[in-house]
Amino acid sequence: MPFVKALKTKAYFKRFQVKFKRRRQGKTDYRARIRLINQDKNKYNTPKYRFVVRFTNKDVIAQIISATISGDRVLAAAYAHELPRYGLKVGLTNYAAAYCTGLLLGRRVLKKLEMDEEYEGNVEATGEDYSVEPAESRRPFRALLDVGLVRTTTGNRVFGALKGVLDAGIDIPHSDKRFAGFSKDGKQLDAEVHRKYIFGGHVASYMRTLMEDEPEKYQAHFSHYIKSGLDPDNIEEMYKSVHAAIRADPTPKLSEKPEPNQHKRYNIKKLTYEERKAKLIERLNALNAAAGNVDDDDDDDEDDE
């Protein structure tokens, strides 16, 4: 057999260090994360907040998070599955729903910090870029956008959530270059196009196209919209009412699920130290009492003899 040089020796494998778990799973970009959570030393333990946006197949997750040594702490969270409470029952993952989720989170945070009256944000969504101005007493709440592993393309739904939280009155460093409606050639944001996306105009236009060209496909694709009584003409009014309802009451609703029943245990419950100590004393007392009874019986037998 010819000589084969070992490229990776035993010493290599003994010194091999695996990457972080979430890097191995492909869930976290640690190069981006370290730049988002690093805090200046002269600010001591002041939390550095991130506005985290994540999308699933059926939901939008928006959170305000700060990092600590022991783990990340969530200040507040909002989800798209909460939007049916405010009147939005269908289309919970599109650009307009992402805007509503961001708006809900922003108003919820300010309500929690008792800053909602001081910072009302952009009450009327016009599609134009908006940045909150500092008030006289307290500075606006500041956070940094955390998009995760999403490709930050122009018009991505992440920036719909960003626009919602900006209009709510949260201070987030940003540019208008990634909002829906930004023209690369003209190098400016078309507010009318952006407004159309915020109020679901792109969905309405697609509904009209399918109604004219492919009625059967329209019935299949927008069946939930039809059941809810939504058509292309009243979608904008629906979103306006949702925005107003969110601003009226952004507080989270407590779960109404009943408490789970007590499950039958098939293993012995582990006793605490005090319970084990009491059980041992009880056994010793029982043994001493039994030993005393035996001695008394022996004495009685000797007296009878």
Side-chain angles (χ1 to χ4, degrees):
M1 182 177 177
F3 174 75
V4 178
K5 183 180 179 182
L7 297 178
K8 293 184 178 178
T9 61
K10 184 178 179 181
Y12 167 83
F13 289 105
K14 288 181 70 174
R15 288 168 171 79
F16 183 78
Q17 185 176 1
V18 298
K19 297 184 186 298
F20 289 151
K21 181 179 179 181
R22 289 183 63 87
R23 172 61 189 89
R24 298 197 306 269
Q25 294 173 341
K27 291 182 178 180
T28 299
D29 179 2
Y30 280 97
R31 188 171 185 274
R33 176 182 166 81
I34 199 69
R35 286 159 174 75
L36 284 170
I37 67 174
N38 267 3
Q39 181 64 291
D40 298 334
K41 295 295 183 184
N42 61 358
K43 293 179 181 175
Y44 301 96
N45 284 330
T46 304
K48 192 171 187 177
Y49 291 104
R50 309 191 323 271
F51 170 53
V52 179
V53 186
R54 300 290 184 269
F55 289 85
T56 68
N57 287 342
K58 295 183 179 180
D59 208 359
V60 181
I61 304 166
Q63 297 170 317
I64 297 291
I65 298 178
S66 62
T68 65
I69 294 176
S70 59
D72 285 8
R73 303 295 172 89
V74 179
L75 177 67
Y79 303 89
H81 66 248
E82 296 180 69
L83 297 178
R85 182 159 68 98
Y86 297 99
L88 181 60
K89 299 180 181 180
V90 290
L92 298 181
T93 54
N94 57 29
Y95 194 95
Y99 176 89
C100 294
T101 308
L103 181 66
L104 176 59
L105 176 64
R107 297 309 299 169
R108 185 169 288 174
V109 170
L110 295 178
K111 181 93 172 176
K112 185 174 183 178
L113 300 176
E114 298 180 352
M115 300 169 64
D116 54 326
E117 295 182 0
E118 193 171 8
Y119 291 99
E120 293 185 356
N122 188 16
V123 178
E124 185 179 353
T126 59
E128 296 179 356
D129 190 18
Y130 173 80
S131 296
V132 64
E133 295 294 333
E136 295 180 359
S137 57
R138 298 173 68 178
R139 287 180 292 180
F141 183 85
R142 188 179 179 87
L144 302 177
L145 177 63
D146 183 341
V147 299
L149 304 177
V150 169
R151 289 185 180 272
T152 52
T153 54
T154 302
N156 194 299
R157 292 174 297 171
V158 167
F159 301 108
L162 171 63
K163 178 58 176 169
V165 83
L166 287 170
D167 285 354
I170 304 293
D171 180 22
I172 297 181
H174 68 284
S175 169
D176 62 358
K177 292 183 179 180
R178 291 303 179 192
F179 289 139
F182 183 83
S183 174
K184 187 177 181 181
D185 298 329
K187 294 185 178 180
Q188 62 181 0
L189 177 66
D190 189 340
E192 285 297 323
V193 175
H194 195 200
R195 184 186 182 280
K196 185 181 81 168
Y197 275 80
I198 290 172
F199 288 102
H202 59 301
V203 178
S205 62
Y206 183 56
M207 289 173 74
R208 290 191 184 95
T209 303
L210 285 185
M211 287 173 70
E212 295 175 1
D213 299 340
E214 301 178 72
E216 294 180 359
K217 189 176 180 180
Y218 169 75
Q219 295 289 334
H221 279 215
F222 291 98
S223 59
H224 291 291
Y225 283 74
I226 296 169
K227 288 178 184 177
S228 301
L230 287 175
D231 56 55
D233 297 327
N234 59 10
I235 282 184
E236 182 173 334
E237 293 300 322
M238 184 264 294
Y239 278 109
K240 285 182 179 179
S241 63
V242 170
H243 297 170
I246 288 172
R247 288 184 175 275
D249 181 23
T251 54
K253 187 179 180 182
L254 298 177
S255 176
E256 297 178 354
K257 292 182 180 179
E259 294 185 2
N261 298 325
Q262 293 295 329
H263 297 289
K264 183 179 179 181
R265 290 185 67 97
Y266 293 95
N267 57 344
I268 300 172
K269 184 180 178 181
K270 189 175 181 181
L271 302 177
T272 63
Y273 171 73
E274 296 297 333
E275 290 173 340
R276 294 199 304 272
K277 188 176 178 181
K279 191 175 181 180
L280 178 61
I281 293 171
E282 186 180 346
R283 287 176 59 192
L284 292 174
N285 291 336
L287 289 171
N288 292 333
N293 292 334
V294 171
D295 292 341
D296 292 341
D297 292 341
D298 291 343
D299 293 341
D300 292 340
D301 293 340
E302 290 175 0
D303 292 341
D304 292 341
E305 292 175 356

